[in-house]
Amino acid sequence: MNHGGTDGIARARAHIAKAERIVVLTGAGVSAESGVPTFRGPDGLWGKFRVEELATPEAFARDPRLVWEWYALRRTTAQTCAPNAAHHALASFAVAERRMTIVTQNVDGLHARAAVTAAGAGDPSPALPLEVHGSILRDRCSACDQRSAPVDVDASSLATLPRCSLCSGLLRPDVVWFGELLDARVLGAADAAAHQADVCLVIGTSALVYPAAAIPFRTLERGGVVIEVNTEESALSPMAEVMLRGRAGEIVPRLLNA
Ligand code: BJW
Ligand code: ZN
């Protein structure tokens, strides 16, 4: 294991240069420098609530107004923030080299926005992420599952919360809460990409939440290596061949830019 520095960057770049396929797994830390708060650590509280208390179907059933208040605020944040140097470096690499699959646990849409920028008039699809925890930029009916474009949410009372145009059920953000299944097709594609990759680049995740945290193990199983970029130690650090300690917005461009 290597704890970074210039030598760590050089070793990581060598792994990336010779990899036929690369899978990237990102978490909240990749968006921190865009101004999107992370879940755990000093930023990890919203009011007095932990993510484990709000991001559940039980919390939504008990107090949908409270849960929507949190998501409405976060939706506004996601829409007003911009992709940072890490999102842009990943997207440019994925578009230019077509040997990278980006898997994100984030729901903020910033990888997709960077993909569109990187592609210019071209095709952004090689840089569009597999969003394993859904998107805060879509709504879904909690009764009939119909997906819809996001509406402006007035979370001041239960009566003003958005409702489904088909069945009048309460709308919810189209994200994956604790105890809910991830979309099998999205997770399957992420697993397959990890199992075909020579390098799994893990950026800004505490790697505590499963099954997303298991994705790097698919690369390890087939003999590939994990390279981690994080400001702190994570649950995955012991498995990393190269551990680059620092901010994603500074390190990722140094890893991927020509
Ligand atoms: C920087 C930085 C900078 C900062 N640069 N770095 C196996 C074992 C045990 C439990 C389970 C298991 N399998 C399933 C479970 C249950 C559960 C689970 O994992 N629990 C664990 C917590 C123990 N999983 C589930 O329930 C999942 N569903 C499921 O498995 O269904 C089947 C099933 C059900 C029931 C029982 C058993 C099986 C669903 C999980 C859904 C998680 N959803 C959330 C909310 C999404 C919507 C929303 O955004 O609101 O996803 S929770 C939240 O955590 C969000 C994130 O995507 C996820 C991960 O967080 P992330 O990204 O790692 O953020 P942080 O804040 O934790 O870390 C940030 C990192 O960045 C830190 O390391 C910093 O150091 C670093 N950093 N600035 C680089 N500038
Ligand atoms: Zn409905």
Side-chain angles (χ1 to χ4, degrees):
M1 219 232 299
N2 185 295
H3 285 279
T6 312
D7 177 52
I9 298 266
R11 294 204 318 125
R13 284 183 66 98
H15 282 293
I16 289 165
K18 69 169 195 259
E20 265 175 46
R21 296 288 319 165
I22 300 160
V23 69
V24 180
L25 175 67
T26 68
V30 80
S31 295
E33 291 154 78
S34 293
V36 181
T38 61
F39 293 100
R40 298 168 184 84
D43 277 347
L45 280 183
W46 181 69
K48 57 182 168 35
F49 302 102
R50 295 162 57 234
V51 60
E52 289 81 2
E53 295 168 70
L54 287 171
T56 72
E58 292 78 16
F60 189 71
R62 194 167 51 237
D63 194 346
R65 195 210 60 75
L66 174 72
V67 173
W68 255 126
E69 189 181 356
W70 185 49
Y71 279 99
L73 188 77
R74 290 178 53 211
R75 179 175 285 175
T76 305
T77 303
Q79 286 166 334
T80 50
C81 286
N84 65 51
H87 300 103
H88 287 307
L90 288 163
S92 298
F93 187 97
V95 165
E97 305 225 3
R98 306 196 171 227
R99 57 187 173 109
M100 174 182 276
T101 303
I102 301 171
V103 179
T104 188
Q105 301 168 80
N106 300 344
V107 299
D108 56 30
L110 293 179
H111 283 299
R113 284 168 59 193
V116 170
T117 304
D123 175 15
S125 58
L128 290 178
L130 294 164
E131 295 176 315
V132 293
H133 289 162
S135 172
I136 203 171
L137 305 173
R138 270 193 316 266
D139 289 338
R140 173 157 57 92
C141 176
S142 60
C144 77
D145 269 351
Q146 171 78 19
R147 291 188 163 86
S148 48
V151 289
D152 281 336
V153 176
D154 175 355
S156 58
S157 76
L158 184 57
T160 58
L161 294 183
R163 291 197 169 260
C164 175
S165 59
L166 297 179
C167 79
S168 307
L170 267 183
L171 293 183
R172 53 167 282 182
D174 190 16
V175 299
V176 182
W177 285 329
F178 284 109
E180 295 184 324
L181 291 177
L182 282 68
D183 183 304
R185 268 185 301 182
V186 178
L187 181 63
D191 260 341
H195 201 248
Q196 285 156 18
D198 310 296
V199 170
C200 179
L201 179 56
V202 182
I203 308 169
T205 176
S206 56
L208 293 171
V209 175
Y210 283 82
I215 288 170
F217 289 92
R218 303 284 287 149
T219 303
L220 291 173
E221 274 164 26
R222 57 98 72 195
V225 298
V226 169
I227 297 170
E228 185 181 54
V229 178
N230 199 307
T231 47
E232 312 279 337
E233 185 102 356
S234 84
L236 202 72
S237 302
M239 269 65 81
E241 175 75 17
V242 187
M243 164 74 226
L244 300 165
R245 191 84 81 230
R247 294 162 152 231
E250 289 160 17
I251 291 184
V252 176
R254 289 173 65 199
L255 278 185
L256 299 180
N257 289 355

